[in-house]
Amino acid sequence: MKTQQWTPRIYALLLAAQLWVVALAPADALLRSYLLVVAMYGLTLCLCWQRSRLSVTHNRPFWRILLLALCAKLAAYALLAADAWVHTDGTLVAVDPAFHFCVSALLMVVAASYNPGSPVARWTNLIDGILAASIAWLFYDLLHVQLPPSGQSPAAALFLSRMFDGMDLFVAAFATLRLLASRRADERRFFFVLASYAWLDALCAGAHNRLILASESYLPELLHAVPPAVLGVLLSRRRAWLRGYRPSRLTVNLTASIVPFALSLALTGLALVLLPSEPVLARVMILLAVVAYGARNALLTAHHLSVEDERRVLRRSLQQSVFQDELTGLANRRGIQRALERAWERAVEQGEALAVAMMDIDHFKAFNDTYGHLAGDDCLSAVGATLRNGALAHAGVTVGRYGGEEFLMLFEGTAAERAGEIVEALRARVGGLQILHAGNHPSRTVTASAGVAAFQRGRHRDLERLLKAADEALYEAKAAGRNRLGRAEG
Ligand SMILES: Nc1nc2c(ncn2[C@@H]2O[C@H](COP(=O)(O)OP(=O)(O)OP(=O)(O)O)[C@@H](O)[C@H]2O)c(=O)[nH]1
């Protein structure tokens, strides 16, 4: 028989046995009832252990923390059973059951605040753990300070049950918050189980504590058995709960910010209650709450700032790769086109002088065919560097690789005559590289031809016409024998 089939039956049997015990109310009803609850927690523990073994690695710590919380619960009920067995007024051993209930709640808070995915997780988890442990410690301390050891009065019992209500509701609210912010299905499964158990535990414990104040019956003892039984049944199921639920980014981020705030607030609240009786400890705890909250925020802010910096660098290098030619380091076609459009707008709107030139390496196909494509790349790279350095010497000149072995030059605020002079100087620099090119007669070294055109309002109605004029001038230079400058009609 499968686990999910036999578990509800065993829990039902144990519950039936407990009902029989509390209804018949023999002399040792309390002891037997607690022993049955211990048995239920024992079975639930086994199911939780099995679940932790089956879970994916990154989720395993959650199940292990829950396992420890259940161990603490089991220990608390075992102590209650031992207490019922000896029938003493106080407790049997030095540590009373309240301590174990506190430890169990602390561990569930730790599970709900544990965040393995965050990049600064090691430190934030440590801070959250310290806060949760301080809350549990203060809570336990408060129980003993506010409640004298002999205090079994109805007022003291009411105080005790209110304190436990507060603690249980805090755990349940915390687990629900994490459930709402769980993106992964396996994490959501854990927090569904934890939140269901925490709410049920809070309701049953609250109801039990009030009912035993109001009646002499043992029947409220049944309420102790409901949370472990329901938890065990949930643990034995394999199905994923809230399958269709996907938290928004806002919910996830809000929860992440609320967790440290809620922990610090709870610690401060408990410290304020403790302030009149233990002022030093209370002040230390308030200070701890403030420092821990501040340190956690500082950690996260520092992390976000460094992520933002990395993003900025990445964005810049991405932008560069979009507008820069890898081989020559010049602006690529997209980059030079963008610069050209901006310059064109300025020329049209503000009447600034504008000239463009197309430059093309002569017989570059023959160069590639003779020396190979890699040598061709080296040649393009050397020509590109020469044009880039040469352009630096003249204000308002931008050079880009327009495509293949063709370069586009942009002269802003430069008259046609002057633009021609600069192109000639740049062509001379290319020739000055003295790169061997046997197929390029008569120089037998790499040379370039160019065509220049200046913007004229009446003649060039759009950018394409200006580029076409420069291209035609280049064509004329090629046709006239290459290694020269062609000028568009002015
Ligand atoms: N090595 C290399 N060659 C390229 C690159 N881009 C284009 N080319 C080559 O450049 C050559 C251009 O040849 P053509 O357009 O026929 O012009 P050309 O041989 O220079 O002749 P003219 O322009 O008339 O002087 C082609 O062989 C292309 O393969 C590149 O990035 N690297």
Side-chain angles (χ1 to χ4, degrees), residues 75-107:
Y77 282 105
L79 281 174
L80 284 171
D83 192 33
W85 184 45
V86 292
H87 294 292
T88 54
D89 274 348
T91 52
L92 180 72
V93 286
V95 234
D96 63 330
F99 174 80
H100 293 81
F101 283 124
C102 288
V103 171
S104 172
L106 153 73
L107 287 165

Side-chain angles (χ1 to χ4, degrees), residues 334-347 410 463-464:
R334 199 181 286 132
I336 192 71
Q337 185 74 30
R338 192 174 64 155
L340 192 57
E341 278 163 14
R342 286 177 185 169
W344 172 263
E345 271 172 32
R346 276 193 292 273
L410 185 60
L463 190 52
E464 280 65 39

Side-chain angles (χ1 to χ4, degrees), residues 355-357 411 414-424 452 485 487:
V356 295
F411 303 90
T414 313
E417 199 56 38
R418 177 70 190 133
E421 284 168 21
I422 299 172
V423 177
E424 278 302 75
V452 65
L485 174 68
R487 291 173 196 270

